[in-house]
Every structure is written in C-alpha cells, then in structure tokens.
Amino acid sequence: MPELPEVETVVRTLAPHVLGRRITGATLLRRQSLHPLSLPLERLRGLVITGARRRGKLVLLALAPDADSERPSLILPSLLVVHLRMTGRLLPRSAEAEAGPHTRLILGLAAPDGEVRRLFFDDTRAFGQVFAATPGLLGQWRFWRELGPEPLELTRAGFSRRLAGRRAIKAALLDQHVIAGIGNIYADEALHAAGINPKQSAQTLTAEQRGRLLDALKAVLRLSIAQCGSSIRDYRDADGNVGAFQNSFAVYGRAGLPCRACGRPLEKCRVAGRATVFCSRCQPV
DNA sequence: TCCTCCCTGTTC
DNA sequence: GAACAGGGAGGA
C-alpha cells in the first residue's frame, strides 16, 4: 500500500522513463478509474511530460504543450495526478505491451527521437484514480484543497497546532487533512518509535510527546525512503523493484511477535477502523 | 466522530 | 466461503 515513502520512490524511479516524452495517446480501460473532475484524457495527446513530483500520496506529472504545436482551442491539462491508493502501479513498458486484467489506463509516450513506449496504470483493486487537471480543477477538488502539510517539512509548532481535537492520535495521523502522506504502516511505526499509545487522545499529548512523535515520524519516513519504501504485497516501484523497509518494521504486521525493544508480545486492536499493532509496555496508555 | 462501502486477491 | 487488507467518500 503506497504511502509517502513508496510514492516518493515511484516518482524517483518513474521520472527517467517519462520526462521529456510526448503523450501520443491515452486509452482508459475502466471509466471509474478516472476522477470525476478530470478533463477528457484525449486532451493529453501532444502534451510533453516536463516534471514528476509527489504531494502526500499523490503522483503529479507536469504537462506542457509541445513547443511547435498550434494554439489549442480547448482547455488543456497542465497536470496528470495519479492516486495509487491500495494497489496502483505505474509501469513503463514497451510499445508492444498489452493490457492485463487489471490495467486501467495506457499512455503512449514518444521520446524526442520518436521512439515510442507505453506507460501502464495497473490497479488490481481498482481504488486508484487518474485526474487530468488544471490548477482551477484542482481547486475544485476538496481533498486537494484541504490536504495537510508535508510531514518532512513540518515544524514542531505546526504539528502541535494541527493536533487539536480529542480523537485518538493514530486517527489524527491517518487524516490527510492533518498531515499528508501517512498511512497505516507509518502511523503504527512512528507511534511505537515515540512510545505513544495509538488510542491516546491527541489533546492529552504533552509538548514533549508531540515533539518526540514528529521526530519519530520524520525518522521513519526518511529511513523508509532511503530503503525505497516497504513492499507488503502489491507495491513495486516504476522499475518493478520491491522496497526493503518491510524488513525493518517494529510493529506493522507483527502482532503476537515479541516487541523488538522489550520482548513482550505485540498486541493488536482497531483504531479509526484500521488494524493497529502496538506494545502495551513501550506504548502505555 | 465513527461506521460502511468500494474492490479483489489471499488467507483462514 | 467468510474474513481480512485499507484510503477516502459519504452518511449516521
């Protein structure tokens, strides 16, 4: 399940495959995989991919009209936004590659020398979406408008301010309005590293605890990015490679196994509707 | 603020 | 053949 470190890795590995290439066509194989606010994907044709970056868990490909293309009469997208959700993958393939059972979108991509390849958006569970957008359309997307700050750029004061409210601290970490990019894996890992119980009310955290939690969150995200993310089941980067951070999990997926810090068996519960693993000794209530 | 639904492959 | 995995929308 791609969270911030996995999406960061996808963007980094995808960039050399797509930057400077012109979109020769788009084939959408599942209507619901297109965001309802998206411009028609036919308008991608002729646009050049000029940038690849990440915001939260979103992949953002910057688009620009070809230098020698005529002035268009239609509004053209300046951004292709991809939300991988649970099982989405962006896979560079040859021009001859054909759609698999879970292929949702195929883009044709031509290099400046004319060599054509394809970019596949495959998504087994079909939760992911693509969105051909303009800044104006993004502004209409509530999720985008209200997306919280990047955790790696967040200060302690900023983090503290965003933790208002009485709900469980884990629920706050998972809320993309509070911070962008955190999912179930990194919420559990950061809470364990900081020694904070996932069900503790965000409001009752001391300033020291909040500071420790933000530091732990940044550390776990940076460590995972350095290891190209975590591969649980479906996640692969754009080169088809798995990450290595799953080998460093302290709690995620380790219920019943001994805590790496104290040896007590890890416990499992549900917080905010999500499976949650924690150590009752290292993360007391 | 919490619960259900969407979706499909894997595990029990 | 049911339970489970889970991000986010939408409803209670």
PDB file of all heavy atoms in Angstrom, chain A residues 235-273:
ATOM      1  N   TYR A 235       2.997  -3.596  -3.789  1.00  0.00           N
ATOM      2  CA  TYR A 235       3.788  -2.421  -4.138  1.00  0.00           C
ATOM      3  C   TYR A 235       5.065  -2.761  -4.909  1.00  0.00           C
ATOM      4  O   TYR A 235       5.844  -3.615  -4.520  1.00  0.00           O
ATOM      5  CB  TYR A 235       4.147  -1.615  -2.886  1.00  0.00           C
ATOM      6  CG  TYR A 235       5.209  -0.589  -3.172  1.00  0.00           C
ATOM      7  CD1 TYR A 235       4.900   0.552  -3.887  1.00  0.00           C
ATOM      8  CD2 TYR A 235       6.528  -0.812  -2.813  1.00  0.00           C
ATOM      9  CE1 TYR A 235       5.877   1.471  -4.208  1.00  0.00           C
ATOM     10  CE2 TYR A 235       7.511   0.096  -3.114  1.00  0.00           C
ATOM     11  CZ  TYR A 235       7.185   1.240  -3.823  1.00  0.00           C
ATOM     12  OH  TYR A 235       8.155   2.129  -4.147  1.00  0.00           O
ATOM     13  N   ARG A 236       5.255  -2.078  -6.024  1.00  0.00           N
ATOM     14  CA  ARG A 236       6.511  -2.114  -6.780  1.00  0.00           C
ATOM     15  C   ARG A 236       6.810  -0.691  -7.238  1.00  0.00           C
ATOM     16  O   ARG A 236       5.888   0.093  -7.460  1.00  0.00           O
ATOM     17  CB  ARG A 236       6.397  -2.992  -8.029  1.00  0.00           C
ATOM     18  CG  ARG A 236       6.136  -4.458  -7.774  1.00  0.00           C
ATOM     19  CD  ARG A 236       7.367  -5.155  -7.212  1.00  0.00           C
ATOM     20  NE  ARG A 236       7.154  -6.594  -7.080  1.00  0.00           N
ATOM     21  CZ  ARG A 236       6.475  -7.157  -6.091  1.00  0.00           C
ATOM     22  NH1 ARG A 236       5.914  -6.404  -5.159  1.00  0.00           N
ATOM     23  NH2 ARG A 236       6.333  -8.462  -6.030  1.00  0.00           N
ATOM     24  N   ASP A 237       8.094  -0.356  -7.414  1.00  0.00           N
ATOM     25  CA  ASP A 237       8.395   0.955  -7.993  1.00  0.00           C
ATOM     26  C   ASP A 237       8.275   0.869  -9.517  1.00  0.00           C
ATOM     27  O   ASP A 237       7.899  -0.170 -10.066  1.00  0.00           O
ATOM     28  CB  ASP A 237       9.759   1.468  -7.521  1.00  0.00           C
ATOM     29  CG  ASP A 237      10.930   0.687  -8.109  1.00  0.00           C
ATOM     30  OD1 ASP A 237      10.756   0.010  -9.137  1.00  0.00           O
ATOM     31  OD2 ASP A 237      12.023   0.770  -7.528  1.00  0.00           O
ATOM     32  N   ALA A 238       8.597   1.963 -10.198  1.00  0.00           N
ATOM     33  CA  ALA A 238       8.378   2.010 -11.640  1.00  0.00           C
ATOM     34  C   ALA A 238       9.287   1.036 -12.391  1.00  0.00           C
ATOM     35  O   ALA A 238       9.035   0.693 -13.550  1.00  0.00           O
ATOM     36  CB  ALA A 238       8.584   3.431 -12.155  1.00  0.00           C
ATOM     37  N   ASP A 239      10.351   0.585 -11.751  1.00  0.00           N
ATOM     38  CA  ASP A 239      11.227  -0.404 -12.379  1.00  0.00           C
ATOM     39  C   ASP A 239      10.851  -1.826 -11.979  1.00  0.00           C
ATOM     40  O   ASP A 239      11.563  -2.780 -12.300  1.00  0.00           O
ATOM     41  CB  ASP A 239      12.688  -0.129 -12.007  1.00  0.00           C
ATOM     42  CG  ASP A 239      13.171   1.186 -12.607  1.00  0.00           C
ATOM     43  OD1 ASP A 239      12.812   1.467 -13.769  1.00  0.00           O
ATOM     44  OD2 ASP A 239      13.887   1.930 -11.922  1.00  0.00           O
ATOM     45  N   GLY A 240       9.728  -1.971 -11.257  1.00  0.00           N
ATOM     46  CA  GLY A 240       9.276  -3.301 -10.859  1.00  0.00           C
ATOM     47  C   GLY A 240       9.986  -3.841  -9.628  1.00  0.00           C
ATOM     48  O   GLY A 240       9.801  -4.994  -9.254  1.00  0.00           O
ATOM     49  N   ASN A 241      10.789  -2.991  -8.971  1.00  0.00           N
ATOM     50  CA  ASN A 241      11.549  -3.463  -7.807  1.00  0.00           C
ATOM     51  C   ASN A 241      10.768  -3.303  -6.516  1.00  0.00           C
ATOM     52  O   ASN A 241       9.924  -2.425  -6.394  1.00  0.00           O
ATOM     53  CB  ASN A 241      12.868  -2.685  -7.696  1.00  0.00           C
ATOM     54  CG  ASN A 241      13.773  -2.948  -8.880  1.00  0.00           C
ATOM     55  OD1 ASN A 241      13.904  -4.093  -9.320  1.00  0.00           O
ATOM     56  ND2 ASN A 241      14.369  -1.902  -9.411  1.00  0.00           N
ATOM     57  N   VAL A 242      11.065  -4.158  -5.550  1.00  0.00           N
ATOM     58  CA  VAL A 242      10.434  -4.063  -4.242  1.00  0.00           C
ATOM     59  C   VAL A 242      11.280  -3.160  -3.354  1.00  0.00           C
ATOM     60  O   VAL A 242      12.467  -2.963  -3.602  1.00  0.00           O
ATOM     61  CB  VAL A 242      10.295  -5.453  -3.583  1.00  0.00           C
ATOM     62  CG1 VAL A 242       9.392  -6.339  -4.411  1.00  0.00           C
ATOM     63  CG2 VAL A 242      11.656  -6.102  -3.393  1.00  0.00           C
ATOM     64  N   GLY A 243      10.668  -2.626  -2.302  1.00  0.00           N
ATOM     65  CA  GLY A 243      11.414  -1.877  -1.295  1.00  0.00           C
ATOM     66  C   GLY A 243      11.967  -2.837  -0.258  1.00  0.00           C
ATOM     67  O   GLY A 243      11.753  -4.048  -0.326  1.00  0.00           O
ATOM     68  N   ALA A 244      12.683  -2.280   0.722  1.00  0.00           N
ATOM     69  CA  ALA A 244      13.307  -3.132   1.733  1.00  0.00           C
ATOM     70  C   ALA A 244      12.853  -2.795   3.147  1.00  0.00           C
ATOM     71  O   ALA A 244      13.181  -3.500   4.088  1.00  0.00           O
ATOM     72  CB  ALA A 244      14.828  -3.010   1.649  1.00  0.00           C
ATOM     73  N   PHE A 245      12.064  -1.706   3.294  1.00  0.00           N
ATOM     74  CA  PHE A 245      11.777  -1.243   4.648  1.00  0.00           C
ATOM     75  C   PHE A 245      10.881  -2.210   5.437  1.00  0.00           C
ATOM     76  O   PHE A 245      10.877  -2.178   6.666  1.00  0.00           O
ATOM     77  CB  PHE A 245      11.166   0.163   4.619  1.00  0.00           C
ATOM     78  CG  PHE A 245      11.098   0.790   5.974  1.00  0.00           C
ATOM     79  CD1 PHE A 245      12.260   1.161   6.644  1.00  0.00           C
ATOM     80  CD2 PHE A 245       9.884   0.983   6.609  1.00  0.00           C
ATOM     81  CE1 PHE A 245      12.201   1.719   7.907  1.00  0.00           C
ATOM     82  CE2 PHE A 245       9.821   1.545   7.876  1.00  0.00           C
ATOM     83  CZ  PHE A 245      10.982   1.914   8.521  1.00  0.00           C
ATOM     84  N   GLN A 246      10.147  -3.087   4.733  1.00  0.00           N
ATOM     85  CA  GLN A 246       9.312  -4.057   5.457  1.00  0.00           C
ATOM     86  C   GLN A 246      10.154  -4.935   6.388  1.00  0.00           C
ATOM     87  O   GLN A 246       9.656  -5.471   7.367  1.00  0.00           O
ATOM     88  CB  GLN A 246       8.496  -4.925   4.490  1.00  0.00           C
ATOM     89  CG  GLN A 246       9.283  -5.868   3.615  1.00  0.00           C
ATOM     90  CD  GLN A 246       9.861  -5.177   2.385  1.00  0.00           C
ATOM     91  OE1 GLN A 246       9.772  -3.959   2.261  1.00  0.00           O
ATOM     92  NE2 GLN A 246      10.437  -5.949   1.488  1.00  0.00           N
ATOM     93  N   ASN A 247      11.430  -5.075   6.074  1.00  0.00           N
ATOM     94  CA  ASN A 247      12.314  -5.868   6.937  1.00  0.00           C
ATOM     95  C   ASN A 247      12.666  -5.145   8.232  1.00  0.00           C
ATOM     96  O   ASN A 247      13.211  -5.747   9.146  1.00  0.00           O
ATOM     97  CB  ASN A 247      13.600  -6.226   6.177  1.00  0.00           C
ATOM     98  CG  ASN A 247      13.298  -6.995   4.898  1.00  0.00           C
ATOM     99  OD1 ASN A 247      12.464  -7.888   4.892  1.00  0.00           O
ATOM    100  ND2 ASN A 247      13.957  -6.619   3.810  1.00  0.00           N
ATOM    101  N   SER A 248      12.361  -3.856   8.284  1.00  0.00           N
ATOM    102  CA  SER A 248      12.682  -3.066   9.474  1.00  0.00           C
ATOM    103  C   SER A 248      11.458  -2.770  10.332  1.00  0.00           C
ATOM    104  O   SER A 248      11.576  -2.043  11.314  1.00  0.00           O
ATOM    105  CB  SER A 248      13.324  -1.728   9.053  1.00  0.00           C
ATOM    106  OG  SER A 248      14.443  -1.960   8.223  1.00  0.00           O
ATOM    107  N   PHE A 249      10.284  -3.290   9.956  1.00  0.00           N
ATOM    108  CA  PHE A 249       9.083  -2.991  10.732  1.00  0.00           C
ATOM    109  C   PHE A 249       9.268  -3.394  12.189  1.00  0.00           C
ATOM    110  O   PHE A 249       9.685  -4.513  12.487  1.00  0.00           O
ATOM    111  CB  PHE A 249       7.868  -3.746  10.185  1.00  0.00           C
ATOM    112  CG  PHE A 249       7.336  -3.200   8.887  1.00  0.00           C
ATOM    113  CD1 PHE A 249       6.465  -3.954   8.118  1.00  0.00           C
ATOM    114  CD2 PHE A 249       7.692  -1.935   8.439  1.00  0.00           C
ATOM    115  CE1 PHE A 249       5.964  -3.461   6.923  1.00  0.00           C
ATOM    116  CE2 PHE A 249       7.194  -1.436   7.246  1.00  0.00           C
ATOM    117  CZ  PHE A 249       6.331  -2.204   6.484  1.00  0.00           C
ATOM    118  N   ALA A 250       8.906  -2.472  13.086  1.00  0.00           N
ATOM    119  CA  ALA A 250       8.930  -2.789  14.510  1.00  0.00           C
ATOM    120  C   ALA A 250       7.597  -3.396  14.941  1.00  0.00           C
ATOM    121  O   ALA A 250       7.564  -4.268  15.816  1.00  0.00           O
ATOM    122  CB  ALA A 250       9.227  -1.535  15.320  1.00  0.00           C
ATOM    123  N   VAL A 251       6.490  -2.918  14.343  1.00  0.00           N
ATOM    124  CA  VAL A 251       5.169  -3.382  14.778  1.00  0.00           C
ATOM    125  C   VAL A 251       4.259  -3.824  13.636  1.00  0.00           C
ATOM    126  O   VAL A 251       3.543  -4.825  13.763  1.00  0.00           O
ATOM    127  CB  VAL A 251       4.445  -2.299  15.616  1.00  0.00           C
ATOM    128  CG1 VAL A 251       5.025  -2.225  17.005  1.00  0.00           C
ATOM    129  CG2 VAL A 251       4.478  -0.945  14.936  1.00  0.00           C
ATOM    130  N   TYR A 252       4.248  -3.089  12.524  1.00  0.00           N
ATOM    131  CA  TYR A 252       3.273  -3.378  11.468  1.00  0.00           C
ATOM    132  C   TYR A 252       3.367  -4.834  11.020  1.00  0.00           C
ATOM    133  O   TYR A 252       4.441  -5.334  10.671  1.00  0.00           O
ATOM    134  CB  TYR A 252       3.488  -2.455  10.258  1.00  0.00           C
ATOM    135  CG  TYR A 252       2.453  -2.674   9.175  1.00  0.00           C
ATOM    136  CD1 TYR A 252       1.233  -2.007   9.229  1.00  0.00           C
ATOM    137  CD2 TYR A 252       2.674  -3.577   8.151  1.00  0.00           C
ATOM    138  CE1 TYR A 252       0.265  -2.232   8.274  1.00  0.00           C
ATOM    139  CE2 TYR A 252       1.703  -3.808   7.191  1.00  0.00           C
ATOM    140  CZ  TYR A 252       0.509  -3.129   7.254  1.00  0.00           C
ATOM    141  OH  TYR A 252      -0.451  -3.363   6.304  1.00  0.00           O
ATOM    142  N   GLY A 253       2.225  -5.539  11.071  1.00  0.00           N
ATOM    143  CA  GLY A 253       2.170  -6.939  10.646  1.00  0.00           C
ATOM    144  C   GLY A 253       2.857  -7.908  11.601  1.00  0.00           C
ATOM    145  O   GLY A 253       3.064  -9.061  11.263  1.00  0.00           O
ATOM    146  N   ARG A 254       3.205  -7.437  12.826  1.00  0.00           N
ATOM    147  CA  ARG A 254       3.956  -8.286  13.750  1.00  0.00           C
ATOM    148  C   ARG A 254       3.162  -8.625  15.011  1.00  0.00           C
ATOM    149  O   ARG A 254       3.759  -8.988  16.039  1.00  0.00           O
ATOM    150  CB  ARG A 254       5.273  -7.615  14.128  1.00  0.00           C
ATOM    151  CG  ARG A 254       6.238  -7.427  12.945  1.00  0.00           C
ATOM    152  CD  ARG A 254       7.629  -7.015  13.402  1.00  0.00           C
ATOM    153  NE  ARG A 254       8.297  -8.083  14.118  1.00  0.00           N
ATOM    154  CZ  ARG A 254       8.678  -8.042  15.390  1.00  0.00           C
ATOM    155  NH1 ARG A 254       8.449  -6.960  16.111  1.00  0.00           N
ATOM    156  NH2 ARG A 254       9.274  -9.064  15.952  1.00  0.00           N
ATOM    157  N   ALA A 255       1.830  -8.558  14.962  1.00  0.00           N
ATOM    158  CA  ALA A 255       1.020  -8.873  16.141  1.00  0.00           C
ATOM    159  C   ALA A 255       1.360 -10.272  16.646  1.00  0.00           C
ATOM    160  O   ALA A 255       1.477 -11.212  15.867  1.00  0.00           O
ATOM    161  CB  ALA A 255      -0.461  -8.775  15.803  1.00  0.00           C
ATOM    162  N   GLY A 256       1.530 -10.383  17.983  1.00  0.00           N
ATOM    163  CA  GLY A 256       1.845 -11.670  18.592  1.00  0.00           C
ATOM    164  C   GLY A 256       3.340 -11.956  18.653  1.00  0.00           C
ATOM    165  O   GLY A 256       3.788 -12.787  19.453  1.00  0.00           O
ATOM    166  N   LEU A 257       4.103 -11.290  17.828  1.00  0.00           N
ATOM    167  CA  LEU A 257       5.569 -11.465  17.850  1.00  0.00           C
ATOM    168  C   LEU A 257       6.160 -10.572  18.936  1.00  0.00           C
ATOM    169  O   LEU A 257       5.544  -9.601  19.352  1.00  0.00           O
ATOM    170  CB  LEU A 257       6.166 -11.106  16.480  1.00  0.00           C
ATOM    171  CG  LEU A 257       5.720 -12.013  15.326  1.00  0.00           C
ATOM    172  CD1 LEU A 257       6.222 -11.463  13.996  1.00  0.00           C
ATOM    173  CD2 LEU A 257       6.217 -13.438  15.533  1.00  0.00           C
ATOM    174  N   PRO A 258       7.361 -10.890  19.428  1.00  0.00           N
ATOM    175  CA  PRO A 258       7.938 -10.088  20.506  1.00  0.00           C
ATOM    176  C   PRO A 258       8.319  -8.683  20.060  1.00  0.00           C
ATOM    177  O   PRO A 258       8.825  -8.488  18.952  1.00  0.00           O
ATOM    178  CB  PRO A 258       9.194 -10.891  20.905  1.00  0.00           C
ATOM    179  CG  PRO A 258       9.494 -11.775  19.749  1.00  0.00           C
ATOM    180  CD  PRO A 258       8.188 -12.063  19.080  1.00  0.00           C
ATOM    181  N   CYS A 259       8.059  -7.711  20.918  1.00  0.00           N
ATOM    182  CA  CYS A 259       8.494  -6.329  20.685  1.00  0.00           C
ATOM    183  C   CYS A 259      10.011  -6.314  20.560  1.00  0.00           C
ATOM    184  O   CYS A 259      10.704  -6.899  21.380  1.00  0.00           O
ATOM    185  CB  CYS A 259       8.034  -5.457  21.857  1.00  0.00           C
ATOM    186  SG  CYS A 259       8.707  -3.775  21.798  1.00  0.00           S
ATOM    187  N   ARG A 260      10.495  -5.627  19.536  1.00  0.00           N
ATOM    188  CA  ARG A 260      11.952  -5.598  19.325  1.00  0.00           C
ATOM    189  C   ARG A 260      12.654  -4.814  20.434  1.00  0.00           C
ATOM    190  O   ARG A 260      13.861  -4.962  20.636  1.00  0.00           O
ATOM    191  CB  ARG A 260      12.278  -4.961  17.975  1.00  0.00           C
ATOM    192  CG  ARG A 260      11.811  -5.760  16.762  1.00  0.00           C
ATOM    193  CD  ARG A 260      12.568  -5.298  15.516  1.00  0.00           C
ATOM    194  NE  ARG A 260      11.854  -5.557  14.266  1.00  0.00           N
ATOM    195  CZ  ARG A 260      11.886  -6.712  13.611  1.00  0.00           C
ATOM    196  NH1 ARG A 260      12.581  -7.726  14.093  1.00  0.00           N
ATOM    197  NH2 ARG A 260      11.216  -6.861  12.485  1.00  0.00           N
ATOM    198  N   ALA A 261      11.894  -3.970  21.138  1.00  0.00           N
ATOM    199  CA  ALA A 261      12.507  -3.165  22.190  1.00  0.00           C
ATOM    200  C   ALA A 261      12.499  -3.884  23.536  1.00  0.00           C
ATOM    201  O   ALA A 261      13.484  -3.851  24.270  1.00  0.00           O
ATOM    202  CB  ALA A 261      11.806  -1.818  22.307  1.00  0.00           C
ATOM    203  N   CYS A 262      11.360  -4.547  23.896  1.00  0.00           N
ATOM    204  CA  CYS A 262      11.261  -5.102  25.253  1.00  0.00           C
ATOM    205  C   CYS A 262      10.936  -6.593  25.288  1.00  0.00           C
ATOM    206  O   CYS A 262      10.981  -7.196  26.357  1.00  0.00           O
ATOM    207  CB  CYS A 262      10.204  -4.330  26.053  1.00  0.00           C
ATOM    208  SG  CYS A 262       8.510  -4.795  25.635  1.00  0.00           S
ATOM    209  N   GLY A 263      10.581  -7.188  24.168  1.00  0.00           N
ATOM    210  CA  GLY A 263      10.351  -8.630  24.134  1.00  0.00           C
ATOM    211  C   GLY A 263       8.923  -9.069  24.415  1.00  0.00           C
ATOM    212  O   GLY A 263       8.559 -10.205  24.130  1.00  0.00           O
ATOM    213  N   ARG A 264       8.096  -8.177  24.927  1.00  0.00           N
ATOM    214  CA  ARG A 264       6.702  -8.541  25.206  1.00  0.00           C
ATOM    215  C   ARG A 264       5.955  -8.740  23.881  1.00  0.00           C
ATOM    216  O   ARG A 264       6.186  -8.005  22.923  1.00  0.00           O
ATOM    217  CB  ARG A 264       6.048  -7.423  26.018  1.00  0.00           C
ATOM    218  CG  ARG A 264       4.533  -7.589  26.173  1.00  0.00           C
ATOM    219  CD  ARG A 264       3.944  -6.406  26.902  1.00  0.00           C
ATOM    220  NE  ARG A 264       4.213  -6.504  28.327  1.00  0.00           N
ATOM    221  CZ  ARG A 264       3.253  -6.512  29.263  1.00  0.00           C
ATOM    222  NH1 ARG A 264       1.992  -6.397  28.924  1.00  0.00           N
ATOM    223  NH2 ARG A 264       3.566  -6.595  30.532  1.00  0.00           N
ATOM    224  N   PRO A 265       5.045  -9.732  23.838  1.00  0.00           N
ATOM    225  CA  PRO A 265       4.299  -9.951  22.581  1.00  0.00           C
ATOM    226  C   PRO A 265       3.494  -8.711  22.190  1.00  0.00           C
ATOM    227  O   PRO A 265       2.824  -8.114  23.029  1.00  0.00           O
ATOM    228  CB  PRO A 265       3.359 -11.123  22.918  1.00  0.00           C
ATOM    229  CG  PRO A 265       4.017 -11.822  24.060  1.00  0.00           C
ATOM    230  CD  PRO A 265       4.729 -10.759  24.856  1.00  0.00           C
ATOM    231  N   LEU A 266       3.560  -8.334  20.925  1.00  0.00           N
ATOM    232  CA  LEU A 266       2.837  -7.156  20.448  1.00  0.00           C
ATOM    233  C   LEU A 266       1.346  -7.449  20.396  1.00  0.00           C
ATOM    234  O   LEU A 266       0.932  -8.562  20.085  1.00  0.00           O
ATOM    235  CB  LEU A 266       3.357  -6.754  19.069  1.00  0.00           C
ATOM    236  CG  LEU A 266       4.817  -6.293  19.044  1.00  0.00           C
ATOM    237  CD1 LEU A 266       5.315  -6.136  17.610  1.00  0.00           C
ATOM    238  CD2 LEU A 266       4.991  -4.995  19.813  1.00  0.00           C
ATOM    239  N   GLU A 267       0.543  -6.433  20.686  1.00  0.00           N
ATOM    240  CA  GLU A 267      -0.906  -6.594  20.703  1.00  0.00           C
ATOM    241  C   GLU A 267      -1.543  -5.945  19.487  1.00  0.00           C
ATOM    242  O   GLU A 267      -0.963  -5.063  18.859  1.00  0.00           O
ATOM    243  CB  GLU A 267      -1.479  -5.959  21.981  1.00  0.00           C
ATOM    244  CG  GLU A 267      -1.031  -6.727  23.219  1.00  0.00           C
ATOM    245  CD  GLU A 267      -1.521  -6.086  24.506  1.00  0.00           C
ATOM    246  OE1 GLU A 267      -2.584  -5.434  24.461  1.00  0.00           O
ATOM    247  OE2 GLU A 267      -0.836  -6.249  25.530  1.00  0.00           O
ATOM    248  N   LYS A 268      -2.768  -6.422  19.188  1.00  0.00           N
ATOM    249  CA  LYS A 268      -3.490  -5.915  18.029  1.00  0.00           C
ATOM    250  C   LYS A 268      -4.828  -5.361  18.470  1.00  0.00           C
ATOM    251  O   LYS A 268      -5.495  -5.943  19.323  1.00  0.00           O
ATOM    252  CB  LYS A 268      -3.711  -7.061  17.034  1.00  0.00           C
ATOM    253  CG  LYS A 268      -4.197  -6.630  15.668  1.00  0.00           C
ATOM    254  CD  LYS A 268      -4.151  -7.814  14.706  1.00  0.00           C
ATOM    255  CE  LYS A 268      -4.497  -7.361  13.292  1.00  0.00           C
ATOM    256  NZ  LYS A 268      -4.320  -8.451  12.325  1.00  0.00           N
ATOM    257  N   CYS A 269      -5.212  -4.219  17.911  1.00  0.00           N
ATOM    258  CA  CYS A 269      -6.535  -3.661  18.182  1.00  0.00           C
ATOM    259  C   CYS A 269      -6.972  -2.896  16.939  1.00  0.00           C
ATOM    260  O   CYS A 269      -6.299  -2.932  15.912  1.00  0.00           O
ATOM    261  CB  CYS A 269      -6.497  -2.739  19.411  1.00  0.00           C
ATOM    262  SG  CYS A 269      -5.503  -1.261  19.173  1.00  0.00           S
ATOM    263  N   ARG A 270      -8.120  -2.249  17.017  1.00  0.00           N
ATOM    264  CA  ARG A 270      -8.574  -1.416  15.903  1.00  0.00           C
ATOM    265  C   ARG A 270      -8.672   0.031  16.344  1.00  0.00           C
ATOM    266  O   ARG A 270      -9.243   0.325  17.397  1.00  0.00           O
ATOM    267  CB  ARG A 270      -9.927  -1.903  15.382  1.00  0.00           C
ATOM    268  CG  ARG A 270      -9.846  -3.184  14.580  1.00  0.00           C
ATOM    269  CD  ARG A 270     -11.129  -3.476  13.839  1.00  0.00           C
ATOM    270  NE  ARG A 270     -11.088  -2.959  12.475  1.00  0.00           N
ATOM    271  CZ  ARG A 270     -10.457  -3.583  11.484  1.00  0.00           C
ATOM    272  NH1 ARG A 270      -9.800  -4.693  11.701  1.00  0.00           N
ATOM    273  NH2 ARG A 270     -10.463  -3.073  10.276  1.00  0.00           N
ATOM    274  N   VAL A 271      -8.101   0.915  15.556  1.00  0.00           N
ATOM    275  CA  VAL A 271      -8.220   2.351  15.806  1.00  0.00           C
ATOM    276  C   VAL A 271      -8.601   2.990  14.484  1.00  0.00           C
ATOM    277  O   VAL A 271      -7.965   2.711  13.456  1.00  0.00           O
ATOM    278  CB  VAL A 271      -6.902   2.963  16.330  1.00  0.00           C
ATOM    279  CG1 VAL A 271      -7.084   4.446  16.617  1.00  0.00           C
ATOM    280  CG2 VAL A 271      -6.419   2.227  17.571  1.00  0.00           C
ATOM    281  N   ALA A 272      -9.630   3.831  14.519  1.00  0.00           N
ATOM    282  CA  ALA A 272     -10.100   4.513  13.309  1.00  0.00           C
ATOM    283  C   ALA A 272     -10.419   3.490  12.210  1.00  0.00           C
ATOM    284  O   ALA A 272     -10.175   3.742  11.027  1.00  0.00           O
ATOM    285  CB  ALA A 272      -9.077   5.539  12.822  1.00  0.00           C
ATOM    286  N   GLY A 273     -10.925   2.313  12.626  1.00  0.00           N
ATOM    287  CA  GLY A 273     -11.304   1.293  11.655  1.00  0.00           C
ATOM    288  C   GLY A 273     -10.136   0.546  11.037  1.00  0.00           C
ATOM    289  O   GLY A 273     -10.329  -0.266  10.132  1.00  0.00           O
TER     290      GLY A 273
END
